[in-house]
Amino acid sequence: MGSPLSAWPWAGLGSYKYLLYGPLFGKVAHEWREQGGAPTESWCFHLLLLLALRSLVFQLWFSYGNMLFFTRRRRVVRDGVDFQQIDAEWDWDNMVIMQTLLGAMVTSSALFPSFSDLRAWDPRGWAVALLLHVAVSEPAFRWAHKALHRGPLFSEHHSKHHSSPVTQPLTAAYGTPLESLVLTLAMGAPIAGAFLAGTGSVSLVYGHIFVFDYLRCMGYSNVEVISHRAFEAFPFLRYLIYTPTYLSLHHQEKDCNFCLFMPLFDALGGTIHPRSWELQKEVDQGKNDRVPDFVFLAHVVDVVSSMHVPFGFRSCSSLPWSTHLVLLPLWPMAFCIMALQVACSKTFTVSFYYLRGRFHQTWTIPRYSFQYFIPPMKEGINHQIELAILRADKMGVKVLSLAALNKNEALNGGGTLFVSKHPNLRVRVVHGNTLTAAVILNQIPSNVKEVFLTGATSKLGRAIALYLCSKKMRVLMLTLSSERFLKIQREAPAEFQQYLVQVTKYHAAKTCKTWLVGKWLSPREQRWAPPGTHFHQFVVPPVIEFRRDCTYGKLAAMRLPKDVQGLGSCEYTMERGVVHACHAGGVVHCLEGWEHHEVGAIDVDRIDVVWKAALKHGLSPP
């Protein structure tokens, strides 16, 4: 059994903890029904409104801090937030729950004034609150915070908070009940003092809580937001307001920078880190930035899944994508963002991680899957891809891998358009399809003698067919074009050409239980598969799982090595730590240091080479 106030009493409830708000909602609903409108004179109503506004403050700061296209150059700690930290901070809102419930208890007391008796604004109350914050909250918090760093108090009550290596706005609320009580008293003392002095007001309650949360989130954002020039112009400011760099030093060193918001009290107590202002200047000037070694150039799938981004909802992006009903009301906003991106947006950075000392980033072309099939948009999409490649080349990126439709054969010849147009590129452009083919081929059981292949004359289909026929496996290639079939068949050595068979209808595969799907299948087409069939897929989007008597493989993917660092978001529908094979193909290209471009047709002879290289570097099938 742990120490008192070291664990939350509702920890075992999971998501049911939000039922604790039930009495407040119930009271508001009852008053709403009785009054025939919003009960604006009810403290419960305003506590719930404050809850919503506070949650929005945390969310907006979290989103801003993770918008790498805005904040990448001013990040304090360069590391990423991994899944372990995300899971540890999953219940970050426990503090907000506790404060809301305590607020309900205090405001229901007979000693507390009713909401209808309060003024909307009283400058005297703000003056009293400011005085109490400086004279009471700041020194008291620093003393309590420093005490939490000693002996058993640290190990039992504060070490969990410091277990987060990279601070985030949500980290500001993550901790034990004791820590949350300390913060609650620091926040509440100025408000309570103003009310006891008879100068409380509605604006003070909302304003003080908003400013408190805003400054907490700013300090934990891991993005330097205060210009070093302001401190140089007005040196006394550095003692009145802390910075994200200042707080990050506390989280790293643990024996300095204990203040709430005002470094003045650390200066008086002799606990300011000597490099606080020097480091803040370096971060603000972008000296902490780093050029990526590898870039995965992705695109948006659709409007709904566009919300599956690391700067959106962490509980969503850190899990494989699935449609959440709670996100559907945001669809109109996501649609408007799509229209705005088409009009004026450029390629932007979405996420990053580290692997073997190399810095990997994911960039996104601001285009959606359906737009790739609109002929008038193709030229613009290619222009966006070309600009991204040239930007990577100018920055010094070593390898850039094209995702999904960005390497579409009909769009740019699998990347050949860019390599031909810019023959002096230093960045290596990779479509990653060699590893994609390897993943699909290594999923086929060794005892299979016959496969049915759709999308047979595509880039991947051709490579798969040629590889399998060399293993003396019969390949039923679905295509209406005899010319394309014969062209591929002639590429195979003479002794293996007999294993490639052209078929023009789906019923030709009615006895084949291994389907390699490179072209989308309708439910009607799936009916031709015999019971027990397994559908291996390399088609985007994946086919609908219509047959319950069959099994469906996922898109070709690889699990990143165990020593990957700072990975905290899932790649679309992939599991944690798993990336699409074309992404993994670029990773292998970078780790191996290969100097050639991998564009256009797949070199069948290199399929086994790339597969062995992937396994050598610790990548594995999911």
Side-chain angles (χ1 to χ4, degrees):
M1 184 175 179
S3 300
L5 297 177
S6 64
W8 294 96
W10 52 77
L13 294 179
S15 296
Y16 291 106
K17 67 183 181 181
Y18 298 112
L19 293 176
L20 294 169
Y21 292 128
L24 276 73
F25 278 102
K27 186 173 182 180
V28 169
H30 174 73
E31 293 173 342
W32 200 308
R33 187 174 63 253
E34 291 289 321
Q35 299 177 17
T40 55
E41 301 300 314
S42 167
W43 271 114
C44 286
F45 174 81
H46 287 279
L47 284 171
L48 292 177
L49 184 57
L50 270 170
L51 170 67
L53 292 175
R54 296 184 69 190
S55 300
L56 182 62
V57 169
F58 278 93
Q59 177 59 47
L60 290 177
W61 264 110
F62 171 80
S63 295
Y64 171 76
N66 287 277
M67 289 179 174
L68 300 177
F69 45 93
F70 283 147
T71 63
R72 173 180 51 84
R73 287 179 51 82
R74 291 176 287 110
R75 287 177 61 84
V76 181
V77 178
R78 294 197 301 188
D79 299 337
V81 178
D82 58 21
F83 293 117
Q84 183 178 354
Q85 178 174 339
I86 291 172
D87 290 342
E89 295 178 354
W90 196 266
D91 293 312
W92 65 271
D93 58 349
N94 280 335
M95 184 189 76
V96 182
I97 293 176
M98 183 194 75
Q99 291 176 344
T100 304
L101 297 179
L102 287 176
M105 293 171 59
V106 171
T107 55
S108 63
S109 169
L111 299 176
F112 205 80
S114 64
F115 194 86
S116 58
D117 294 333
L118 293 180
R119 303 181 187 88
W121 166 262
D122 189 337
R124 296 174 302 166
W126 281 90
V128 170
L130 179 60
L131 178 63
L132 288 173
H133 176 82
V134 175
V136 178
S137 295
E138 286 285 351
F141 176 86
R142 181 185 173 278
W143 173 83
H145 191 186
K146 196 172 180 182
L148 284 170
H149 277 261
R150 294 174 184 158
L153 280 177
F154 181 80
S155 59
E156 296 173 7
H157 295 280
H158 198 47
S159 60
K160 186 184 293 186
H161 179 74
H162 275 274
S163 66
S164 297
V166 183
T167 60
Q168 295 273 281
L170 305 186
T171 313
Y174 170 61
T176 59
L178 180 61
E179 294 171 290
S180 298
L181 279 173
V182 171
L183 279 169
T184 302
L185 292 172
M187 179 197 289
I191 298 177
F195 271 85
L196 289 173
T199 57
S201 64
V202 176
S203 62
L204 176 63
V205 174
Y206 276 87
H208 182 78
I209 292 175
F210 171 80
V211 171
F212 194 96
D213 284 343
Y214 183 92
L215 292 176
R216 285 280 292 175
C217 289
M218 182 200 74
Y220 278 83
S221 67
N222 195 41
V223 176
E224 195 50 72
V225 295
I226 300 178
S227 172
H228 70 281
R229 294 185 180 89
F231 288 154
E232 290 174 352
F234 307 100
F236 65 90
L237 281 180
R238 66 184 61 180
Y239 297 105
L240 300 182
I241 183 69
Y242 75 160
T243 68
T245 307
Y246 190 91
L247 186 131
S248 290
L249 281 170
H250 167 74
H251 263 255
Q252 294 170 31
E253 305 293 339
K254 300 182 179 67
D255 60 352
C256 60
N257 298 6
F258 293 101
C259 76
L260 181 56
F261 303 131
M262 298 176 64
L264 171 65
F265 294 93
D266 277 320
L268 295 174
T271 52
I272 283 185
H273 193 286
R275 290 201 67 229
S276 293
W277 317 123
E278 177 186 348
L279 186 60
Q280 190 263 348
K281 181 177 180 179
E282 291 176 3
V283 173
D284 185 48
Q285 292 177 329
K287 294 181 179 180
N288 213 16
D289 193 22
R290 176 178 172 179
V291 174
D293 300 283
F294 165 72
V295 167
F296 179 57
L297 189 61
H299 61 79
V300 191
V301 177
D302 54 43
V303 175
V304 177
S305 64
S306 66
M307 290 178 271
H308 188 252
V309 286
F311 55 84
F313 299 98
R314 191 160 80 171
S315 58
C316 176
S317 64
S318 63
L319 296 172
W321 165 251
S322 61
T323 303
H324 300 278
L325 293 178
V326 71
L327 296 179
L328 294 182
L330 299 175
W331 191 92
M333 183 177 69
F335 183 84
C336 292
I337 291 174
M338 179 192 72
L340 186 65
Q341 286 183 331
V342 173
C344 59
S345 182
K346 297 188 294 185
T347 300
F348 57 92
T349 307
V350 174
S351 61
F352 69 92
Y353 61 88
Y354 293 89
L355 181 62
R356 313 280 167 79
R358 293 173 174 85
F359 184 34
H360 295 194
Q361 285 185 343
T362 295
W363 297 356
T364 292
I365 298 288
R367 296 296 180 267
Y368 294 64
S369 293
F370 73 90
Q371 295 170 345
Y372 284 72
F373 302 99
I374 302 175
M377 296 194 72
K378 288 185 177 181
E379 183 178 350
I381 291 173
N382 270 334
H383 181 63
Q384 290 274 354
I385 298 171
E386 182 180 8
L387 288 177
I389 292 173
L390 293 177
R391 174 189 167 199
D393 187 64
K394 184 178 180 180
M395 290 173 62
V397 176
K398 296 180 176 64
V399 176
L400 183 143
S401 180
L402 301 172
L405 297 174
N406 285 335
K407 60 189 175 196
N408 185 282
E409 197 70 25
L411 184 69
N412 51 47
T416 55
L417 172 67
F418 313 114
V419 173
S420 301
K421 188 175 179 180
H422 303 282
N424 297 320
L425 285 173
R426 292 173 299 168
V427 63
R428 297 301 148 192
V429 181
V430 176
H431 56 44
N433 283 338
T434 309
L435 185 56
T436 302
V439 171
I440 296 167
L441 291 165
N442 280 276
Q443 290 174 350
I444 302 173
S446 58
N447 60 346
V448 172
K449 301 300 180 184
E450 182 181 72
V451 301
F452 177 58
L453 178 63
T454 72
T457 59
S458 66
K459 180 165 50 184
L460 269 168
R462 165 194 162 274
I464 290 170
L466 291 173
Y467 185 94
L468 290 177
C469 78
S470 69
K471 304 299 181 183
K472 298 184 178 180
M473 191 179 297
R474 192 164 182 258
V475 183
L476 305 178
M477 299 176 63
L478 179 68
T479 177
L480 297 176
S481 174
S482 297
E483 180 183 353
R484 290 182 181 179
F485 167 76
L486 290 172
K487 183 180 178 181
I488 293 174
Q489 189 182 48
R490 292 190 191 105
E491 286 190 66
E495 65 270 26
F496 299 131
Q497 291 181 3
Q498 60 181 309
Y499 294 100
L500 299 179
V501 181
Q502 181 186 10
V503 297
T504 57
K505 295 183 179 180
Y506 285 92
H507 74 77
K510 61 184 179 180
T511 60
C512 182
K513 291 189 175 183
T514 302
W515 285 36
L516 306 180
V517 183
K519 182 180 179 182
W520 205 80
L521 295 177
S522 67
R524 183 177 181 180
E525 292 163 343
Q526 291 181 41
R527 288 196 183 118
W528 289 107
T533 295
H534 183 76
F535 295 97
H536 300 269
Q537 302 189 61
F538 58 98
V539 59
V540 178
V543 300
I544 299 172
E545 297 185 11
F546 175 73
R547 296 279 300 272
R548 292 191 176 184
D549 57 347
C550 298
T551 54
Y552 295 78
K554 296 185 180 296
L555 295 177
M558 293 290 280
R559 186 177 296 280
L560 292 172
K562 294 181 179 179
D563 56 343
V564 64
Q565 297 174 317
L567 181 65
S569 60
C570 292
E571 195 164 280
Y572 195 37
T573 57
M574 299 295 167
E575 299 174 9
R576 289 181 168 185
V578 176
V579 298
H580 291 89
C582 53
H583 182 153
V587 172
V588 173
H589 208 95
C590 183
L591 291 173
E592 282 288 314
W594 287 329
E595 291 297 324
H596 64 279
H597 295 291
E598 183 192 320
V599 294
I602 297 173
D603 184 350
V604 180
D605 293 333
R606 286 193 58 82
I607 290 177
D608 286 335
V609 174
V610 173
W611 177 252
K612 290 176 182 177
L615 298 181
K616 179 184 76 174
H617 287 290
L619 286 87
S620 58

